[in-house]
Amino acid sequence: MLSSNIEEMDREGIGPRIIDSFGGISLHEQSHGEAFFSAFIHRFRGNGIYILDEPEAALSPLRQMSMLTRIHDLVQENSQFIIATHSPIIMAYPDAKILQFTEAGIAESSLEDTNHYQIMRQFFDDKNRVLHHLLDH
């Protein structure tokens, strides 16, 4: 719907082309991840506050790393981010304040102490054991 509205407004020619704020490529021609990343690169500016809910859902691990670069650039330009994420890659941003939400409440955590990091580490340290427990009940 948003993609169609943008194209319609651009056809009407009122003001600058909106699609240019998304990299100049129709959002209909981009995957969900490409469209999100394009908006992230082209629409986010310095001196902003950005609240993101699980941006990793649309992004490959490589794109998540690219996202860290853009976040860093924007932080250098006085932007702030509040991000709800399960991604250890995104949580790895230097000096990020990580709040972990559990049944016991909310507590500040290091990256290495988050459930998400520990699960991923267990998987990569011994994927065969994890897969055995998951698949061979």
Side-chain angles (χ1 to χ4, degrees):
M1 177 102 175
L2 172 67
S3 303
S4 298
N5 289 342
I6 288 171
E7 289 178 4
E8 183 178 326
M9 288 186 287
D10 281 348
R11 275 193 303 274
E12 292 173 3
I14 301 170
R17 286 176 13 122
I18 299 167
I19 197 64
D20 291 339
S21 296
F22 294 91
I25 300 170
S26 169
L27 297 177
H28 289 295
E29 297 175 20
Q30 299 181 55
S31 70
H32 177 62
E34 289 170 332
F36 171 79
F37 196 72
S38 183
F40 183 68
I41 293 297
H42 297 284
R43 294 197 50 90
F44 287 38
R45 302 277 183 245
N47 295 313
I49 183 163
Y50 300 100
I51 302 170
L52 305 175
D53 184 20
E54 298 183 357
E56 73 275 8
L59 302 175
S60 69
L62 182 59
R63 281 291 197 204
Q64 290 177 46
M65 290 181 209
S66 297
M67 183 179 180
L68 284 182
T69 300
R70 183 66 177 139
I71 287 171
H72 186 68
D73 292 344
L74 291 166
V75 166
Q76 298 302 307
E77 296 172 12
N78 298 312
S79 290
Q80 295 183 357
F81 287 83
I82 299 170
I83 304 172
T85 185
H86 295 101
S87 170
I89 294 170
I90 294 172
M91 285 188 265
Y93 185 81
D95 301 320
K97 182 174 185 175
I98 299 172
L99 300 176
Q100 185 164 235
F101 291 66
T102 67
E103 290 180 10
I106 303 169
E108 192 165 348
S109 179
S110 69
L111 169 65
E112 294 78 12
D113 288 334
T114 64
N115 293 334
H116 309 299
Y117 180 91
Q118 291 175 5
I119 289 168
M120 295 302 290
R121 182 172 182 163
Q122 285 176 353
F123 182 82
F124 289 120
D125 283 351
D126 192 355
K127 74 173 171 43
N128 291 331
R129 184 178 67 88
V130 173
L131 289 172
H132 172 76
H133 286 291
L134 292 172
L135 307 176
D136 297 331
H137 316 301

